[in-house]
Amino acid sequence: MNFELNEAIEILERTPKTLEGLLSGLSAGWVECDEGEGTWNADGVIRHLIEGEKNNWVPRLKMILHEGESRVFPVFDRFSHLEAGTPRSLEEKLAEFASLRSASVAELKRLIAEQGHSLDSTGLHPACGKVSASELISTWVVHDLTHISQIVRVFSNRYRDDVGPWVEYLGVLKKC
Amino acid sequence: MNFELNEAIEILERTPKTLEGLLSGLSAGWVECDEGEGTWNADGVIRHLIEGEKNNWVPRLKMILHEGESRVFPVFDRFSHLEAGTPRSLEEKLAEFASLRSASVAELKRLIAEQGHSLDSTGLHPACGKVSASELISTWVVHDLTHISQIVRVFSNRYRDDVGPWVEYLGVLKKC
C-alpha cells in the first residue's frame, strides 16, 4: 500500500494544469479526434471529469464519512456528459474543471480534518460493495491518470500510420 | 494519414508544459517511483527526453534534409541518460527540456522553410531502413506522448493495491 493523503492531493491538484498544458489552444484535429464510433475525444473526457467533480468524488466521500454503510451510493452516470448541453469552448471547460477541482480539494481537506473522520471509514458502492475513504481517494487519483492516459493514447493513434516503420518502437501504439 | 506539420508542432510545443503541470513540485514518492528493477521513473524520462533533443530529433532531421540516404543515422543511445551526471533538481531538468524543445521547434520550422526541403525527403535509419522527414516528425510527436503515457502508468501502478475493488474499472491499470 502506498496511499498517502498529501501525495494523493498533489496529483489531484495537478490534473487541471496537466490537461491545460496538453490541450489548451490545440487544433480541432486533435481535440475532436477519437478512436471510432462510441469512443471519446479529449473534449468528452473533460466534460466527464467535470461531471465527476459535481456528482461523484466529493459527494461519495461525504456519504462514506457521514453515513457509512447505511445507504448505497447513488449510481454515477459515466455517460451523462454525452447529453447535449450549452456549447462552450474547450478553454471554458478546462477553466470550469480547474475551478471545480480546486473547490473539491479544499472540501476533501476540510472533510478529512473534521474530528472523528478516518480514512478507513467505509461506505457501500452499488457494484463493488464495501469501499473505504482511502480507496475512494486513491481511485480518484488513478481515475485522473487513466483519463490523461486515454487522451494521450487517442492522440497517438491518430498518427499510427504516419510514424512509418517506427510503429514498432512506440509503446503507446502497442495494442493490448 | 493525418500528419500536418502545424498540428505536429502544436503537440511538440505543449509537451514541456504538460510535464511541468504534472511533475513540478511533486514529492519524491511520485518522482522516484518506478515499475521495478530496470524500469524508469519520471526523473529518468525527463533525462531521456533531454538527450533526445540534443542527439536525436533535430540532428536526424538535418541528416534527412541535407544528406538524404547517403549516410545511415548514427545510433541514438536510448539509455545514455542513465549514466551518472551532475545531480540536478527535477525543476532544473524540466526547465532544460523546455528550453531545448523551444530551440528544437524553432530549428524544425527553419529547416522545413528552407527552399527545396520536402517532408517527403528520406534518410536511412540503422534498423528501420528508409524513413521520411514526416515519419520522423510524427514519431517525435508520438514519442512525447508515449513517455507522458509511461509516467502516468507508473504513477497509476503505484496505487494499484490502494484502489481496492475499483481496480476493475480503471483502464490504465489493465495489464496487456
Side-chain angles (χ1 to χ4, degrees):
Chain A
M1 295 294 191
N2 291 306
F3 176 80
E4 293 276 352
L5 182 61
N6 289 341
E7 289 183 351
I9 288 172
E10 288 180 6
I11 300 291
L12 295 176
E13 285 177 334
R14 277 162 180 74
T15 301
K17 292 183 232 175
T18 306
L19 291 170
E20 197 185 311
L22 179 63
L23 300 176
S24 186
L26 269 189
S27 293
W30 292 115
V31 174
E32 294 173 7
C33 73
D34 57 30
E35 295 171 306
E37 199 179 328
T39 65
W40 296 2
N41 61 24
D43 188 85
V45 171
I46 303 304
R47 285 181 283 131
H48 169 71
L49 291 173
I50 287 170
E51 284 299 310
E53 294 307 297
K54 289 180 178 169
N55 300 315
N56 189 346
W57 307 108
V58 167
R60 285 183 168 185
L61 181 64
K62 278 186 183 162
M63 281 191 69
I64 291 174
L65 298 176
H66 295 151
E67 305 185 59
E69 297 179 36
S70 64
R71 197 157 65 89
V72 173
F73 300 152
V75 172
F76 173 64
D77 180 355
R78 288 188 284 160
F79 303 99
S80 62
H81 66 281
L82 301 176
E83 291 163 15
T86 313
R88 292 181 304 155
S89 71
L90 182 64
E91 272 62 34
E92 287 174 299
K93 291 171 210 168
L94 287 166
E96 181 182 11
F97 173 58
S99 166
L100 288 168
R101 173 56 59 88
S102 174
S104 294
V105 169
E107 183 68 357
L108 166 63
K109 290 178 181 170
R110 193 191 66 73
L111 284 164
I112 299 299
E114 275 181 3
Q115 202 171 21
H117 280 169
S118 161
L119 291 165
D120 296 327
S121 305
T122 50
L124 277 182
H125 184 281
C128 301
K130 189 192 283 199
V131 288
S132 71
S134 73
E135 287 170 346
L136 179 84
I137 301 165
S138 300
T139 301
W140 191 1
V141 167
V142 181
H143 182 267
D144 277 12
L145 297 171
T146 210
H147 284 295
I148 295 169
S149 173
Q150 178 185 24
I151 293 171
V152 164
R153 186 191 69 229
V154 170
F155 285 4
S156 302
N157 277 323
R158 185 166 183 244
Y159 274 10
R160 171 177 290 279
D161 294 333
D162 297 281
V163 301
W166 272 292
V167 67
E168 299 302 326
Y169 291 76
L170 296 161
V172 73
L173 295 179
K174 290 209 164 53
K175 288 188 172 163
C176 292
Chain B
M1 296 294 191
N2 292 305
F3 176 81
E4 292 276 352
L5 182 61
N6 289 341
E7 288 183 352
I9 288 172
E10 288 180 6
I11 300 292
L12 295 176
E13 286 177 333
R14 278 162 179 74
T15 300
K17 293 183 230 173
T18 306
L19 291 170
E20 195 186 312
L22 180 61
L23 301 176
S24 186
L26 269 189
S27 293
W30 291 115
V31 174
E32 295 173 7
C33 72
D34 58 30
E35 294 170 306
E37 200 179 326
T39 65
W40 296 3
N41 61 24
D43 188 84
V45 171
I46 303 305
R47 284 181 285 130
H48 169 72
L49 291 173
I50 287 171
E51 284 300 310
E53 294 308 296
K54 289 179 178 171
N55 300 314
N56 189 348
W57 306 108
V58 167
R60 286 184 168 185
L61 181 63
K62 279 186 183 162
M63 281 190 69
I64 291 174
L65 298 177
H66 295 150
E67 306 184 58
E69 297 179 37
S70 64
R71 197 158 65 91
V72 173
F73 299 152
V75 173
F76 173 65
D77 180 356
R78 287 187 286 159
F79 303 99
S80 62
H81 67 280
L82 300 176
E83 292 162 15
T86 314
R88 292 181 304 157
S89 71
L90 182 64
E91 272 63 34
E92 288 174 298
K93 291 170 210 168
L94 287 167
E96 182 183 10
F97 174 59
S99 167
L100 288 167
R101 174 54 60 89
S102 174
S104 295
V105 169
E107 183 67 357
L108 165 63
K109 290 178 181 170
R110 193 192 65 74
L111 284 164
I112 299 298
E114 276 181 2
Q115 203 169 19
H117 282 168
S118 161
L119 290 165
D120 295 328
S121 304
T122 50
L124 278 182
H125 185 281
C128 300
K130 190 192 283 199
V131 288
S132 69
S134 72
E135 286 170 346
L136 180 84
I137 301 165
S138 300
T139 300
W140 192 0
V141 167
V142 180
H143 181 266
D144 277 13
L145 298 171
T146 208
H147 284 296
I148 296 169
S149 173
Q150 177 185 25
I151 293 171
V152 164
R153 186 191 70 229
V154 170
F155 285 3
S156 302
N157 277 322
R158 186 166 182 243
Y159 274 9
R160 171 176 291 279
D161 294 333
D162 297 281
V163 301
W166 272 292
V167 67
E168 300 301 328
Y169 291 76
L170 295 160
V172 73
L173 294 178
K174 289 208 164 54
K175 287 185 173 166
C176 292

